[in-house]
Amino acid sequence: MRSIRALLQATGDLAENNTRDGSTVQPSEMYDEDVAQAVRAFQQRRGLIADGVLGLHTHIALDGAHWKLGDRMLSHIPGHMLQGDDVAELQERLLSLGFRPDRVDGIFGAQTEQAVRRFQGGVGLAVDGSVGPQTLRAFADLTRSVSGGSPHRLREEELVRTSGHRLLGRIVVLDPGHGGEDTGTVAHGLTESEVTLDLARRIEGRLSAIGVTVLFTRSATTGPEDLVRASMANQSRADIMLSLHCDSTDQSRANGVATFFWGLERFGAWSAVGEHLANLIQREIVSRTGLADCRSHPRGWQLLQRTQMPTVRIEAGYLSHPQDAAKLADPVFLDTLAEAIVIALQRMYLGEDDTNATGVLRLGDLGAYNPKHTSIHGVRSGSME
């Protein structure tokens, strides 16, 4: 507990226990309410689920938060990648200077190492991919070559713009939440893992009919960890990943749909395409289903952080709410939900040429953007039965 308290004090979320005369009170060795509140404050600032529980994801984020650029040597270690605020600051500096570590995610991976190597070569340093005193001094000697805007945002948006309007030939990973022994929420006669898999299969059918390669992260009997799901998506070189969930809460009145994308305000860590797609999905679902609009939000969740493609998590209603649960039990409603998500995917690739009003475009209209005479190589359905 002493190390946890020290980390929370370093982030400014937990005050030291001082007496009126200025002396320090011996801190409690227990996980008391002060610590729980500090953990919640930290989680809220970092875009994590603010439950006050110091789980694995929160502990990793908390440990990474106390590092500042220059505190330690940074290098790429396969299988044990360094993570923290110092890595995020490094990535932000590389981007601002025109070197591309893919994106600002606070993880020193292979692409960040390659960006460091390019920087070192460009300024005449020994090219080893590690960030030590000499590389840090070179950073300090340079001023930003880019001011205003976000280089990563511009690059990400340009990649989508130049990739064309078609869904045909793309790879989409569907991630039905939970699975295996992890059922997720069970309420009103519904099980979250079953609902999300049913919805994923309905989305798969519609995407496959257009010519999209669809891959699932799990089957009906498996429930891999988020890191495994992210690795599967990255290895597939997918264009988009959609993570499907249903929400729940002790507050019986809570209801509606929400979408989430990778985003933290610090260091410009943001997925521009993820944000755009999350907004499109949110609007299409609300327009077509009547679910309450809980809006789109940036989050620092591990699955969103570790996937290399734009990823959106969809919380498609509250199983804890009787009206939402009744809708999610209706196959016709699930079909409408699946159609809304597929339409949003198509609209994302239309970009500036999208003149369709929300809730108007239908599946039958997508043929105009996905002509079948175009040759398709390797299109297959990747669902696991």
Side-chain angles (χ1 to χ4, degrees), residues 285 289-291 316 324 326-338:
I285 290 177
T289 67
L291 287 171
D324 278 10
K327 290 178 179 179
L328 290 165
D330 181 1
V332 175
F333 176 85
L334 290 178
D335 283 337
T336 302
L337 193 58

Side-chain angles (χ1 to χ4, degrees), residues 278-332:
N279 285 328
L280 284 172
I281 292 173
Q282 183 72 20
R283 294 200 300 268
E284 289 291 341
I285 290 177
V286 170
S287 174
R288 295 165 189 265
T289 67
L291 287 171
D293 186 0
C294 297
R295 308 200 178 185
S296 298
H297 309 274
R299 286 293 183 269
W301 297 334
Q302 192 172 56
L303 183 70
L304 303 179
Q305 178 190 33
R306 291 299 185 108
T307 42
Q308 295 168 359
M309 72 294 301
T311 299
V312 173
R313 173 165 166 161
I314 305 167
E315 295 282 355
Y318 280 73
L319 289 185
S320 54
H321 188 268
Q323 281 73 42
D324 278 10
K327 290 178 179 179
L328 290 165
D330 181 1
V332 175

